[in-house]
Amino acid sequence: MRPNTRRTTLADIAQAAGVSVATVSKVVNGRGDVAPQTRARVQELLHQHQYLAPVFRHTDAVESPTIEVQFKGGLKSYVAETLEGIIDSAAGLGASVVIGKASRAPHWARDLVSAGRRAVIAVTSVYTTAHLNELARAGLPLVVLDPLHLPDSRVNSVGATNFAGGLAATQHLLSLGHRRVAYLGGPTMAVCNQARMHGYRAAMEAEGAQVPDAYVHSGEFTYETGLLGATALLDLRESPTAIFAGNDEIALGVIETARARGLRIPEDLSVVGFDDTSLAQMASPPLTTVRQPLREMGGAALRTALRLANGEKVESHHIELATELVVRASTAPPREETSARR
């Protein structure tokens, strides 16, 4: 079988693998009812002969293009809400969405192509140059939603105005009279975390409020970071009267640490989150937070992915949607006796 002399067919692959055409078709379409050894043998032959599913043999749009959405870690509230935006937009545009975890297996991009994917949306995932090169070789466009790191110039991304959100959150606390305001955020090198922290610092500097080194903590965007970070902050001799958390999960950890110490929110400690996920409304008390338009961001990522899959050019490699401060019951003016609490 000489792949360079004519188009490779499913029958060619089936003959070389010693299986039926139906079995090869199952592998191409991502069906699960194929023995692992058989699947591996068929996939290797597909790679060797650079077989692409028929939809990839032309650039015309298809009736129902399929987009792969990948994410790392657990299906948390933030991810779930962005997925809702992606899925709702796909339904309105006649596209299909397949949800999966980010893979590092050999030939993973070509496997996606073989399974009929037209583009990939990555939710916050970090892709290395090697991953980008493999996607390029496979001809799969990539859109990163809320990138953790500054994306490669070849990557299209969708995010929010994180600096403006951090600025608004801190200005709100300052307007209430707080001057001892701490920031408890996510990974130090995450672009969104840096922007939120810089917004916090800009607001504090503009007001002439001091930012001791001990008032700025980094961790992960998790409830556990809120628990541990709040413990460190509230153990300070001059503890903060307000904490701006880098996301809603961190904020809930802060609230729980305060509750365990007998502190009341917001009478003894004001807390602001970021994202405005469903957790913010279910918190006790309901959480003041910065709203990221997560569903709208998901929709924008889906539309961008479809345009790229159809060979269209997009106006910008990066789209930023506006954030908005949502004031609820977790913030209030500071009490005079707050500095003596613990």
Side-chain angles (χ1 to χ4, degrees), residues 76-153:
K76 298 183 179 181
S77 183
Y78 167 89
V79 176
E81 294 191 28
T82 57
L83 290 180
E84 284 185 16
I86 293 171
I87 293 169
D88 288 347
S89 293
L93 295 170
S96 299
V97 173
V98 175
I99 310 298
K101 290 292 188 75
S103 173
R104 298 296 180 262
H107 311 302
W108 64 276
R110 182 158 286 277
D111 288 343
L112 293 178
V113 171
S114 297
R117 311 293 189 262
R118 296 290 307 277
V120 175
I121 296 175
V123 182
T124 73
S125 298
V126 177
Y127 280 69
T128 66
T129 300
H131 298 133
L132 298 181
N133 289 340
E134 184 168 351
L135 285 166
R137 286 193 297 269
L140 270 180
L142 170 67
V143 179
V144 180
L145 204 160
D146 206 9
L148 287 179
H149 296 166
L150 283 173
D152 187 285
S153 59

Side-chain angles (χ1 to χ4, degrees), residues 235-291:
D235 278 343
L236 295 173
R237 171 178 290 184
E238 194 170 39
S239 59
T241 62
I243 297 176
F244 168 34
N247 76 345
D248 293 343
E249 285 198 32
I250 295 175
L252 263 61
V254 171
I255 290 173
E256 174 57 23
T257 292
R259 185 202 63 78
R261 290 172 174 243
L263 302 179
R264 296 170 298 169
I265 307 294
E267 292 86 354
D268 300 318
L269 179 70
S270 286
V271 181
V272 178
F274 204 104
D275 284 343
D276 196 25
T277 60
S278 57
L279 296 176
Q281 297 183 48
M282 293 186 290
S284 181
L287 182 66
T288 295
T289 189
V290 176
R291 179 180 183 268

Side-chain angles (χ1 to χ4, degrees), residues 62-80:
V62 294
E63 290 186 2
S64 182
T66 301
I67 307 299
E68 174 89 6
V69 180
Q70 297 188 343
F71 65 95
K72 292 179 65 178
L75 187 57
K76 298 183 179 181
S77 183
Y78 167 89
V79 176

Side-chain angles (χ1 to χ4, degrees), residues 163 167 170-171 174 197-208:
F163 177 88
L167 188 72
T170 311
Q171 287 175 336
L174 291 167
M197 180 183 66
H198 289 321
Y200 153 79
R201 286 188 177 277
M204 296 289 281
E205 181 178 343
E207 190 66 21

